[in-house]
Amino acid sequence: MVRLPLTPAEVERGKRLGALLRRARGPRSMLETALDAGVSPETLRKIESGRVATPAFPTIAAIADVLDLSLDEVWTEINTAPRRGAVPGTRERSA
C-alpha cells in the first residue's frame, strides 16, 4: 500500500497538534505521559515534534485523556489556522 504524501495543510496541522500536546503536558515528563497513555515515549516525541503529523485516533484520544484535554479542544486547536500577528499558543478572544 502506497501512502500519499501529506499536504502542507496536514503538516501544519500536525505541528499545531504537537505544540498543543507540549503545552498541555507542561512540566510533566514525556516518559510519564507516554506510559500513562499506553504509547511509547518515541511515539509521543514524534507527535510532539510534528514528525508524525497524522497519528492514529486512539493514540491521540489516549494522550488527550492523560493530559485532561477534551477531543473537542484538540480538534478546535489543530484545525484553527493561526492569524497573522497572533502569538502561538494563545487564542484571541472576540469582544
Side-chain angles (χ1 to χ4, degrees):
M1 179 167 135
V2 175
R3 185 172 179 161
L4 296 174
L6 297 175
T7 66
E10 289 170 324
V11 171
E12 282 304 310
R13 192 170 49 234
K15 289 178 183 178
R16 287 192 298 273
L17 174 62
L20 170 64
L21 297 179
R22 282 191 308 276
R23 284 192 314 272
R25 185 167 54 82
R28 186 176 183 174
S29 79
M30 187 178 289
L31 176 62
E32 176 188 359
T33 303
L35 294 178
D36 287 349
V39 300
S40 74
E42 181 67 9
T43 296
L44 181 56
R45 186 181 68 75
K46 286 179 181 178
I47 294 168
E48 285 190 359
S49 69
R51 288 184 48 213
V52 175
T54 57
F57 177 78
T59 301
I60 294 306
I63 296 168
D65 183 51
V66 166
L67 297 176
D68 291 324
L69 289 171
S70 76
L71 293 176
D72 287 336
E73 288 176 283
V74 173
W75 182 255
T76 299
E77 180 80 17
I78 68 171
N79 285 296
T80 303
R83 291 173 181 62
R84 290 182 187 236
V87 177
T90 64
R91 291 196 180 145
E92 295 178 14
R93 302 204 188 270
S94 55

